[in-house]
Amino acid sequence: MFKNLCVAHRGFSGKAPENTLAAVRMAIALPYVRWMEIDVQMSKDGVPVVIHDYSLDRTTNGHGKVKDMDWAQMKRLDAGSWKGRAFKGERVPSLEEVLDLSKGRLHLNIELKTVGNLYPGIEKSVINLISSKGMKDEVVLTSFEAGALQRVKEVDPRMNTGLIFDSRSGDPARRVQELGCSFLSISFARLNPNLAKLLTEQGVKVMAWTVDKAKEMRRLADMHSDIMICTNRPDVWGDTFLGV
């Protein structure tokens, strides 16, 4: 029997505006969604916020960089209308709001959206928030940035970390080991059976992104039963593996 867990990418982003509480609630409403991937940045005044782009322009009615706007201003923006009239007034959530909604319901893959020293202290702020909610066992912190993952371990060596890997070259298994990660987030096009087998034998969780077609989901399931499938369309995952 398949074991390939369903990970809702930015919530149920195929139907709801990504990285909003509406998308989180829609993911939670599906009993087979066990994990969710979200993106975290920081407001100008240091509040961890859930949004993907470094700019506010695509997914809100605001303009400019996330890092240049205070939380009080950001939380008044409309982050739903771009997806459809039904979502008008949906807001950019704080990480705290998403943690409160997800606790005990979903495990979270929280991507630290940072480059270099774009958000000084983001690792500590996020870890402190997760710890205050008692959710360390429900979360993995992931990043493309090796420096961010190293800073996470400096703040809390017991925090679960994961490398996001999308390079056409390099050795992701070696990099994961070097960085002390227990998780690899990798483009599904970069994944192969040998790598999946090697990592799972080493106790590393492997998540493939972003997979919205049933054919690709089945291909990954055939590749290895432990590959987690990250998708904008958890309903397609349900149709493919459960027939629901």
Side-chain angles (χ1 to χ4, degrees):
M1 186 179 172
F2 73 91
K3 298 191 297 178
N4 302 84
L5 296 179
C6 181
V7 185
H9 184 237
R10 306 177 195 170
F12 194 158
S13 57
K15 295 278 181 77
E18 64 182 60
N19 281 324
T20 62
L21 296 184
V24 174
R25 291 189 184 101
M26 286 181 73
I28 289 171
L30 297 173
Y32 52 82
V33 175
R34 306 278 295 281
W35 278 77
M36 180 171 64
E37 186 269 354
I38 58 171
D39 306 280
V40 171
Q41 299 184 56
M42 296 255 278
S43 66
K44 185 178 179 181
D45 50 344
V47 176
V49 295
V50 178
I51 188 169
H52 177 270
D53 295 6
Y54 293 117
S55 165
L56 295 156
D57 294 55
R58 180 177 66 89
T59 59
T60 81
N61 62 342
H63 302 288
K65 302 293 185 186
V66 172
K67 69 181 181 66
D68 294 332
M69 186 175 284
D70 286 339
W71 170 235
Q73 296 170 281
M74 198 181 304
K75 67 182 179 182
R76 291 197 293 268
L77 299 177
D78 182 333
S81 291
W82 68 275
K83 190 73 173 179
R85 229 177 295 173
F87 299 105
K88 182 180 180 182
E90 198 65 35
R91 307 300 178 191
V92 174
S94 66
L95 176 59
E96 184 168 19
E97 289 174 298
V98 175
L99 291 177
D100 287 341
L101 200 50
S102 304
K103 185 175 182 180
R105 296 184 176 98
L106 291 174
H107 281 67
L108 294 176
N109 167 2
I110 300 175
E111 179 180 348
L112 301 173
K113 292 289 294 185
T114 186
V115 178
N117 206 30
L118 180 65
Y119 292 118
I122 187 173
E123 299 85 8
K124 192 174 195 313
S125 294
V126 169
I127 290 169
N128 286 347
L129 196 50
I130 292 165
S131 299
S132 74
K133 304 290 180 184
M135 293 178 68
K136 280 169 63 171
D137 292 339
E138 300 174 53
V139 170
V140 59
L141 297 181
T142 61
S143 186
F144 283 100
E145 285 281 302
L149 299 175
Q150 289 163 341
R151 288 189 291 272
V152 167
K153 291 297 189 184
E154 288 166 8
V155 174
D156 187 344
R158 295 166 299 169
M159 196 76 211
N160 294 319
T161 56
L163 175 67
I164 308 175
F165 191 88
D166 192 29
S167 174
R168 291 180 181 276
S169 60
D171 185 346
R174 181 175 58 81
R175 288 297 287 148
V176 162
Q177 196 169 41
E178 289 171 351
L179 293 165
C181 295
S182 57
F183 195 99
L184 177 70
S185 173
I186 186 168
S187 168
F188 78 91
R190 304 276 176 266
L191 196 52
N192 61 66
N194 290 337
L195 179 59
K197 182 173 184 290
L198 174 65
L199 288 164
T200 51
E201 286 174 352
Q202 292 174 352
V204 175
K205 284 191 171 82
V206 179
M207 187 193 80
W209 49 266
T210 304
V211 192
D212 292 341
K213 294 180 179 177
K215 179 182 177 182
E216 294 296 349
M217 292 181 185
R218 284 191 291 267
R219 184 178 71 81
L220 289 165
D222 289 342
M223 190 182 294
H224 201 289
S225 61
D226 288 345
I227 296 170
M228 301 165 71
I229 296 175
C230 186
T231 179
N232 299 311
R233 296 293 305 271
D235 54 331
V236 173
W237 185 99
D239 289 342
T240 302
F241 295 115
L242 302 179
V244 297

